[in-house]
Amino acid sequence: MKKVLGNKWYIFLLSAPALILLAAFVVYPIFNIVVMSLQKTNGLTPPEWIGLENFKTLLQDEAFIRANLASLGLCLLAVLCNAVLAIIVSILLCTLGPRTQKILRTAFVIPLVLSISVISQLWLTIYHADWGLLNYFLKMIGLGFLQNEWLINPKTAMICIAIVGMWWMFGMDLLMSYSGIKAIPESYFEAAQLDGAGFFNTVRYITLPLLRDVAKTCVTVSAIGGLFTFPQVFIMTGGGPGDLTQTVMMYMYRQAFSNQRYGMASAVGILVIAETCVVLGGIGWLFRQGKYRED
C-alpha cells in the first residue's frame, strides 16, 4: 500500500475519475459562463462578441442594483436571524432536560425535511390576504386592523419572503451548533462549575471559543443561502409586485428564460460568483480577527 501511495502516477490514476467529473461539471461550465458573459446571444442565433458591454449595462441597470441589494440584505438577515439566533437557541437548549431537548430539536428540524416548494406553498396559505391563516388569526384575537396583503404591500413583501427562507433553514444551523456544543467534553463544563464560573462566563470562555469553527460554518451556510434566495421568490411572488421582491437570482432567471438574454444572465452569474467570494472572504477574515484577539 505504501508503494502504491508513494507513486504519483498511481495517485493521479486513482484521482482521474474525480478530476474528470470536476472538469466536466464545474470547470467547463464556469469557463463557458465567462465566455458567454462577453457575448450577446439568445441561444438560437450565432453569438456576437461585445466584450464587457453586458457588465456595463448591469452596473447601470437600477433593477439589477435593487435586486442585488435585496439579496445582500437577505444574506445579512440570514446570518443574524439564522446563524446567530441558532447558536443562542442551541446554547439555551442544552440547559434543558434530555427529553425536552429531544422534542424541541425534532420540532426545529422538521421544516428542513420538507422541500422548499412545499414550504413556499404552505406559507402562501398563511399570507393569503382573503383566506390566509395569519389574517384570520389577527381577526380572531381582535387585531383585525393589522390585517394586510402581506405579499403585495411594499412594506411587508420582502420581509415575508425572508421569514420563509429563515424558518426553513433555521433547523440546519441549530442542528450544527447543537452538535458542536455536545462535542465539547463535559469535563470542561464541570471544571468551570467547580471554579465557580457562572452560566454567562462558561458560555463566553468555554462554549463560544470551542464553537468557533462550527459557528463559521453556520454563518457561511446562512450567508450563501440568503444570497442565493430564489425558489420561494419564484413560487410566492415571481419577483413582484413589479420587481419589489426580485432577488439577484430571480433577475438572472428572468434575463435568461424570459428575455432570452443568455449573455446578460451569464454576466449576472459572474458577478454573483465574485460577490460570493467577497462575502466568504469577509467571513473568514472576521473569524480570524476574533481568533487573534483571543490569542
Side-chain angles (χ1 to χ4, degrees):
M1 181 60 69
K2 291 183 179 180
K3 183 178 179 180
V4 172
L5 295 178
N7 191 319
K8 294 182 180 179
W9 287 107
Y10 279 115
I11 295 174
F12 176 77
L13 184 64
L14 294 173
S15 303
L19 293 175
I20 292 172
L21 291 175
L22 180 68
F25 295 104
V26 178
V27 178
Y28 172 74
I30 292 177
F31 174 78
N32 196 38
I33 288 175
V34 172
V35 173
M36 288 182 65
S37 69
L38 303 175
Q39 298 174 337
K40 180 180 180 180
T41 175
N42 59 11
L44 298 175
T45 58
E48 176 187 351
W49 187 269
I50 58 173
L52 298 175
E53 286 300 317
N54 284 328
F55 294 96
K56 292 179 181 178
T57 303
L58 282 176
L59 296 177
Q60 295 172 358
D61 187 356
E62 292 184 2
F64 171 74
I65 294 174
R66 285 195 300 270
N68 203 27
L69 291 175
S71 292
L72 291 174
L74 289 173
C75 175
L76 181 61
L77 276 176
V79 170
L80 295 177
C81 298
N82 266 27
V84 176
L85 186 60
I87 292 172
I88 295 173
V89 172
S90 61
I91 291 172
L92 297 176
L93 188 61
C94 289
T95 63
L96 303 176
R99 183 178 178 84
T100 307
Q101 287 185 34
K102 184 177 181 179
I103 293 173
L104 292 178
R105 189 174 68 242
T106 303
F108 282 124
V109 172
I110 284 175
L112 192 61
V113 179
L114 302 176
S115 154
I116 185 60
S117 302
V118 175
I119 295 292
S120 299
Q121 293 292 343
L122 171 65
W123 280 89
L124 269 176
T125 62
I126 294 175
Y127 287 138
H128 198 278
D130 296 326
W131 42 266
L133 183 62
L134 180 55
N135 280 344
Y136 175 79
F137 176 75
L138 290 173
K139 183 179 179 180
M140 186 177 64
I141 63 175
L143 297 176
F145 62 93
L146 294 178
Q147 289 180 326
N148 202 344
E149 295 182 334
W150 302 101
L151 294 175
I152 299 177
N153 190 328
K155 295 180 180 180
T156 59
M158 185 55 78
I159 296 174
C160 292
I161 292 293
I163 289 173
V164 174
M166 290 185 293
W167 183 76
W168 180 52
M169 292 294 293
F170 182 79
M172 178 182 292
D173 290 329
L174 179 80
L175 199 59
M176 287 191 291
S177 55
Y178 178 83
S179 301
I181 294 173
K182 287 298 183 181
I184 299 174
E186 191 66 30
S187 58
Y188 291 4
F189 299 107
E190 293 173 355
Q193 189 176 9
L194 290 174
D195 289 340
F199 173 76
F200 291 103
N201 284 332
T202 302
V203 170
R204 180 181 178 184
Y205 294 108
I206 296 179
T207 306
L208 292 181
L210 295 177
L211 202 63
R212 183 189 296 108
D213 291 337
V214 175
K216 182 180 178 181
T217 303
C218 290
V219 170
T220 301
V221 171
S222 297
I224 293 175
L227 195 60
F228 284 77
T229 299
F230 173 74
Q232 57 266 44
V233 175
F234 181 78
I235 293 172
M236 298 177 69
T237 65
D243 60 357
L244 182 66
T245 59
Q246 181 172 242
T247 61
V248 70
M249 302 306 294
M250 189 71 203
Y251 180 91
M252 182 172 67
Y253 173 86
R254 284 180 169 178
Q255 292 297 324
F257 299 107
S258 297
N259 302 334
Q260 281 73 51
R261 301 172 70 182
Y262 295 108
M264 186 71 71
S266 298
V268 176
I270 295 298
L271 291 177
V272 171
I273 291 173
E275 284 183 355
T276 304
C277 292
V278 171
V279 170
L280 296 183
I283 291 172
W285 179 82
L286 287 174
F287 275 90
R288 283 195 300 272
Q289 292 298 112
K291 182 178 181 180
Y292 293 150
R293 281 197 295 271
E294 289 180 3
D295 293 341

